[in-house]
Amino acid sequence: MATKSVIRDVNKHVGETVTIGSWIHNKRSSGKIQFLQLRDGSGYIQGVVVKNEVSEQVWNDAKSLTQESSVYVTGVIREEPRSQSGYEMTVTGIEIIHLTENYPITPKEHGVDFLMDHRHLWLRAPKQRAILVIRSEIIRAIQEFFDQNGFTLVDPPILTPTSAEGTTNLFHTKYFEEDAYLTQSGQLYMEAAAMALGKVYSFGPTFRAEKSKTRRHLIEFWMIEPEMAFTDHEESLQIQERFIEHVVQSVVKNCKTELETVGRDVSKLENIKAPFPRITYDDAIKFLQGEGFDIPWGEDFGAPHETAIAEKYDKPVFITHYPAGIKAFYMKPDPNRPEVVLCADMIAPEGYGEIIGGSQRIDDPQLLEQRFKEHDLSMETYQWYMDLRTYGTVPHSGFGLGLERTVAWICGLDHVRETIPFPRTLYRLYP
Ligand code: 4AD
Ligand code: MG
């Protein structure tokens, strides 16, 4: 075996003989030459096998290769401007690891259910690989933003005794003799962490037993939840727009090939620069009514409403100051108008829906206690959360970014199921 390389690094080996562990993505032949489309996860390269230049054994081995067979291929790396990667390999040796028979996913069209049943294999498809590379870059850019802005990463628990976002969609489980729930949001714990560390963020899985089967809902999804002490609603919005700009522009810069593979119109992403437009809930209602929607003040928006609002803008838009009655118990009322709260949802452009929900939190202990009563929440289970107001309460704000909706938007995918390696949806727990 020659020096081992991966396809991503072949530019460092031009003119050299290297061995690449790879799978046969595709193959074609023109009599005396066989073209092997090799993939190794890091990229794609064409291996050229010339009958007159290799032993009969190598030629016949190449002939026997089927889609998704695994091989060590050895050959000389050459620059090839006509190929997508810019390089090609002139094959000199082939070591077959495994010959695959009847690979279920062929270049023909398959239905989504079939592909989802074979998700463990579908991940090998170029588009699915590109989505996961972009997801990884999004996560890297998220961490980079918070690292550069003085935040500390804190991990809230997954098993919790109480609800953070309302009691209708909790996943119940037993915790020995006690009842427990899978976390819907780490927020309440992040508020405790903010009182200890100032500016914090979490990145972890969250669970919602939502019976809604939409293009935007997963049962298990990943959320990024920053929480900031001594920070008001306005300051939080400014951080959110800078944050989203950083994430989108990092992907534009670092994932050119992958954005091309998923077919994304990059000019739409290049435009995502702070500041973002804002509209109050009141004005959004007026706008929707003017557009013919039958929606009274006080009702929450559904996907069609969000899309109609988002269509007015070519950047994400903040919808601010929702009625208290349709938002979570912990949101701080607007001092000038207590029937609305200091909150904002960020709606992505092009119909991708709400990607961020955030607010300033109630810091007044009396008001928080009153809210617990109004929402019928037991003071006993939330005692620790009350303590955060009893001992050195401060104005503070935070927000939650849904990772999968962000990936769907940045990749231009019409369904969140392709944004996560193994999606958990209403009717799917396999594979
Ligand atoms: O708006 P949500 O429910 O807000 C919270 O959970 C707050 N505690 C966050 C905070 O202030 N720390 O959820 C936040 C985001 C949504 O904007 C959406 O992007 C995503 O999480 N999200 C989902 N993504 C996929 N599937 C679901 N079922 C989702 N539910 C929420
Ligand atoms: Mg929300």
Side-chain angles (χ1 to χ4, degrees):
M1 218 184 269
T3 314
K4 264 194 184 170
S5 182
V6 290
I7 294 171
R8 183 190 286 125
D9 293 342
V10 293
N11 59 336
K12 297 174 193 146
H13 296 285
V14 177
E16 294 170 22
T17 299
V18 295
T19 297
I20 300 176
S22 46
W23 291 269
I24 305 301
H25 178 56
N26 216 332
K27 205 178 89 171
R28 74 198 160 78
S29 151
S30 68
K32 293 192 166 10
I33 306 181
Q34 297 182 68
F35 300 98
L36 310 177
Q37 310 303 328
L38 305 171
R39 62 162 198 92
D40 73 346
S42 81
Y44 299 84
I45 191 169
Q46 175 162 272
V48 183
V49 192
V50 182
K51 189 166 189 191
N52 295 337
E53 293 174 10
V54 296
S55 67
E56 207 176 318
Q57 171 85 51
V58 170
W59 178 256
N60 289 334
D61 281 350
K63 255 186 147 165
S64 72
L65 293 173
T66 49
Q67 187 191 355
E68 288 306 312
S69 286
S70 45
V71 284
Y72 285 114
V73 184
T74 301
V76 184
I77 302 300
R78 285 183 294 103
E79 282 190 76
E80 176 47 74
R82 282 171 301 177
S83 88
Q84 204 204 9
S85 68
Y87 301 92
E88 240 178 35
M89 176 193 253
T90 304
V91 176
T92 55
I94 292 175
E95 183 190 325
I96 297 175
I97 305 169
H98 182 244
L99 278 180
T100 286
E101 280 175 51
N102 304 322
Y103 187 67
I105 303 179
T106 55
K108 72 161 196 189
E109 285 275 311
H110 295 283
V112 171
D113 274 338
F114 179 87
L115 291 170
M116 276 297 167
D117 282 340
H118 295 84
R119 183 64 176 161
H120 49 294
L121 302 177
W122 189 24
L123 293 178
R124 303 179 187 191
K127 181 175 174 192
Q128 300 307 314
R129 172 193 173 274
I131 294 168
L132 293 186
V133 170
I134 293 170
R135 179 184 168 107
S136 171
E137 171 61 17
I138 290 172
I139 295 170
R140 191 203 61 75
I142 287 170
Q143 291 171 337
E144 180 177 76
F145 179 87
F146 289 118
D147 284 349
Q148 288 173 352
N149 286 278
F151 287 72
T152 303
L153 176 66
V154 171
D155 304 311
I158 306 288
L159 289 165
T160 61
T162 48
S163 131
E165 284 297 313
T167 47
T168 51
N169 58 10
L170 286 170
F171 255 109
H172 176 251
T173 182
K174 285 310 271 186
Y175 192 79
F176 306 109
E177 300 307 313
E178 282 179 70
D179 287 310
Y181 306 94
L182 297 183
T183 183
Q184 297 165 304
S185 156
Q187 180 195 318
L188 307 188
Y189 295 97
M190 297 310 288
E191 289 183 55
M195 302 307 138
L197 294 140
K199 289 200 278 183
V200 293
Y201 77 103
S202 66
F203 172 52
T206 47
F207 306 86
R208 308 252 169 121
E210 281 178 302
K211 286 279 157 67
S212 45
K213 189 174 180 277
T214 78
R215 300 183 290 119
R216 295 171 184 175
H217 286 87
L218 290 165
I219 304 303
E220 177 181 295
F221 65 99
W222 288 66
M223 198 160 30
I224 293 84
E225 295 190 88
E227 195 68 34
M228 302 158 284
F230 308 106
T231 302
D232 66 18
H233 175 60
E234 173 59 35
E235 292 167 313
S236 176
L237 294 192
Q238 290 177 22
I239 288 168
Q240 291 174 45
E241 54 197 11
R242 284 208 295 120
F243 168 52
I244 294 302
E245 172 182 335
H246 177 79
V247 171
V248 173
Q249 296 314 321
S250 297
V251 175
V252 168
K253 181 163 160 248
N254 299 324
C255 295
K256 288 200 168 61
T257 329
E258 286 76 18
L259 286 170
E260 200 180 308
T261 304
V262 300
R264 187 63 165 115
D265 177 353
V266 178
S267 68
K268 293 234 161 62
L269 299 178
E270 281 166 345
N271 186 46
I272 307 303
K273 302 261 167 75
F276 295 167
R278 301 175 186 190
I279 180 172
T280 61
Y281 173 88
D282 288 0
D283 287 344
I285 285 283
K286 279 186 214 136
F287 162 74
L288 289 169
Q289 289 171 344
E291 295 288 294
F293 285 95
D294 179 21
I295 182 169
W297 194 95
E299 217 163 82
D300 205 357
F301 298 139
H305 305 116
E306 286 175 0
T307 302
I309 296 164
E311 269 170 4
K312 301 204 306 168
Y313 309 97
D314 54 7
K315 288 184 190 184
V317 53
F318 289 112
I319 307 178
T320 69
H321 301 85
Y322 282 73
I326 51 172
K327 286 292 182 188
F329 71 89
Y330 51 71
M331 293 189 181
K332 186 180 173 79
D334 183 341
N336 304 316
R337 228 185 120 203
E339 71 273 24
V340 300
V341 283
L342 298 176
C343 74
D345 284 354
M346 187 194 289
I347 315 295
E350 301 172 74
Y352 290 96
E354 177 199 326
I355 50 171
I356 289 183
S359 67
Q360 186 164 343
R361 323 304 192 187
I362 293 174
D363 47 306
D364 175 50
Q366 274 85 40
L367 180 59
L368 188 58
E369 204 170 326
Q370 186 189 321
R371 284 283 192 268
F372 281 127
K373 294 200 182 103
E374 288 165 9
H375 287 255
D376 221 7
L377 299 167
S378 119
M379 283 302 294
E380 203 186 321
T381 38
Y382 288 92
Q383 188 53 55
W384 68 269
Y385 186 67
M386 270 304 297
D387 278 356
L388 306 177
R389 276 64 179 176
T390 310
Y391 305 110
T393 188
V394 299
H396 63 289
S397 302
F399 60 95
L401 171 78
L403 179 63
E404 286 72 20
R405 289 191 194 171
T406 306
V407 176
W409 165 46
I410 293 179
C411 291
L413 308 172
D414 49 51
H415 201 297
V416 286
R417 67 187 157 218
E418 288 180 47
T419 64
I420 185 165
F422 295 98
R424 298 294 169 240
T425 53
L426 192 49
Y427 300 115
R428 180 172 293 282
L429 190 56
Y430 175 92

